[in-house]
């Protein structure tokens, strides 16, 4: 009887794990399929991870948010532990989306049809007392994995011509990288599933 319970328990655990992984994959695919697409200009930071293969760490124009854009600076003028920062993006003249406003925790009103809100996490301890200071939210789209052997060449190319990523942003502000772009050319596109 205990052997049968053990098998049933193992099967139930496996089903729960498969369901959880499926939920993550379907959620990611839903963002890529239904999210509002924006183009972000990127800057390279690092080309490789010895354990995971080639990747590029990407910095964006939205990676440094000026404190003066944040409409609701919290009391004490320091960020609290893992604050959520909503950054409103608007398309610029060159086609890249840029920050136009920001709020801790939630935007006071929904984004207009020509805008989109992206949500990032801000670590503890950023000093918000200087209007010229910047803070660096983590959006979860700062790393892009590449086929082995291609990271260094792309990083070198990024230093001489503009690169961008196409990002899908869900209605709740969650971003997902869709593609790495070299000018108008799509270099790598993430599969839906």
């Amino acid at each position: 009887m205990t052997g049968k319970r053990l098998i049933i328990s193992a099967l139930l655990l496996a089903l729960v794990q498969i369901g959880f992984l499926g939920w993550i994959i379907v959620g990611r695919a839903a963002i890529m399929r239904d999210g509002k697409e924006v183009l972000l200009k990127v800057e390279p930071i690092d080309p490789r991870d010895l354990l995971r293969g080639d990747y590029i760490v990407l910095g964006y124009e939205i990676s440094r948010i000026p404190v003066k854009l944040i409409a609701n600076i919290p009391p004490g003028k320091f960020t609290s532990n893992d604050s959520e920062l909503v950054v409103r993006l608007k398309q610029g003249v060159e086609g890249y989306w840029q920050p136009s406003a920001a709020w801790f925790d939630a935007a006071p009103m929904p984004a207009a049809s020509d805008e989109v809100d992206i949500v990032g996490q801000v670590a503890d301890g950023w000093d918000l007392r200087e209007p010229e200071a910047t803070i660096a939210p983590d959006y979860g789209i700062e790393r892009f994995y590449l086929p082995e052997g291609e990271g260094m060449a792309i990083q070198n190319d990024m230093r001489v011509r503009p690169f961008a990523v196409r990002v899908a942003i869900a209605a709740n502000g969650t971003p997902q990288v869709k593609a790495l772009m070299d000018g108008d050319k799509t270099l790598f596109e993430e599969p839906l599933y």
Side-chain angles (χ1 to χ4, degrees):
M1 193 68 146
T2 58
K4 205 176 208 182
R5 284 187 192 174
L6 185 62
I7 290 173
I8 291 172
S9 296
L11 286 173
L12 285 173
L13 181 62
L15 285 173
V16 167
Q17 289 175 337
I18 290 169
F20 181 71
L21 289 173
W23 177 69
I24 291 172
I25 291 168
V26 168
R28 178 183 174 276
I31 293 170
M32 290 177 64
R33 183 184 58 244
D34 302 328
K36 185 166 186 168
E37 194 170 295
V38 301
L39 187 66
L40 300 174
K41 190 172 185 177
V42 298
E43 306 159 349
I45 298 172
D46 188 307
R48 300 184 309 133
D49 180 338
L50 295 176
L51 300 176
R52 296 185 189 170
D54 279 1
Y55 73 92
I56 45 180
V57 174
L58 303 169
Y60 304 97
E61 291 179 348
I62 66 169
S63 294
R64 297 298 241 178
I65 301 299
V67 169
K68 64 184 171 193
L69 281 183
I70 304 170
N72 61 343
I73 303 288
K77 304 202 183 226
F78 285 92
T79 57
S80 60
N81 217 3
D82 287 327
S83 299
E84 207 170 72
L85 186 70
V86 177
V87 179
R88 179 139 309 154
L89 303 177
K90 196 166 178 95
Q91 191 170 17
V93 258
E94 293 181 1
Y96 300 114
W97 290 65
Q98 300 162 335
S100 61
W103 301 270
F104 283 107
D105 299 320
M109 65 200 119
S113 62
D114 63 339
E115 300 172 321
V116 66
D117 290 340
I118 186 171
V119 175
Q121 296 295 317
V122 180
D124 190 20
W126 288 92
D127 187 352
L128 303 172
R129 293 176 287 190
E130 294 293 323
E132 299 308 313
T134 60
I135 63 173
D138 180 357
Y139 302 103
I141 55 171
E142 288 77 15
R143 191 176 280 203
F144 190 83
Y145 286 90
L146 300 163
E148 191 172 335
E150 298 196 26
M152 193 61 87
I154 289 174
Q155 180 192 21
N156 292 336
D157 289 346
M158 283 181 161
R159 297 189 190 288
V160 295
R161 61 183 186 269
F163 275 68
V165 292
R166 276 186 306 158
V167 175
I169 302 175
N172 69 357
T174 303
Q176 182 66 52
V177 174
K178 289 183 80 168
L180 177 65
M181 310 289 294
D182 180 356
D184 291 338
K185 179 182 171 192
T186 300
L187 289 181
F188 299 99
E189 192 155 8
E190 286 290 328
L192 194 56
Y193 287 100

